[in-house]
């Protein structure tokens, strides 16, 4: 498993995603889609969507939650880059 630790000891993948999101969005072909699967317990879906919509992608109205264990509830977000 991958664990994310920010400076100061906070554990959240959101900081890493904020760094990666602009490059991922830039490389996505106009009209292209990206699917991101994540642990729905951290980060929250709304926070994740905010990061990627902030770099020009649009979240699609689709969700597919699936409980892996007591500590992991997977979900996915489909993002599309405008044509």
């Amino acid at each position: 498993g991958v664990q994310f630790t920010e400076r100061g000891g906070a554990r959240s993948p959101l900081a890493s995603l904020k760094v990666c999101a602009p490059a991922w969005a830039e490389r996505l072909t106009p009209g292209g889609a990206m699917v991101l699967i994540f642990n729905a317990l951290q980060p929250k879906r709304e926070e994740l969507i905010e990061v990627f919509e902030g770099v020009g992608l649009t979240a699609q109205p689709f969700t597919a939650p699936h409980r892996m264990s007591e500590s992991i509830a997977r979900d996915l977000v489909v993002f599309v880059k405008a044509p």
Side-chain angles (χ1 to χ4, degrees):
V2 176
Q3 294 185 5
F4 300 89
T5 304
E6 297 176 36
R7 290 186 179 125
R11 286 185 51 195
S12 170
L14 206 53
S16 296
L17 291 172
K18 287 178 181 178
V19 171
C20 297
W24 293 352
E26 180 182 321
R27 284 164 181 77
L28 192 61
T29 304
M34 175 180 80
V35 177
L36 189 62
I37 299 170
F38 64 101
N39 180 349
L41 302 176
Q42 186 183 35
K44 298 295 183 200
R45 181 181 184 83
E46 296 79 25
E47 295 172 328
L48 185 73
I49 289 172
E50 185 177 308
V51 167
F52 285 91
E53 287 190 340
V55 296
L57 302 180
T58 303
Q60 301 303 295
F62 178 80
T63 185
H66 174 74
R67 181 160 297 281
M68 299 293 293
S69 68
E70 286 186 30
S71 64
I72 299 175
R74 298 243 190 260
D75 199 356
L76 65 85
V77 180
V78 178
F79 293 102
V80 174
K81 186 172 186 174

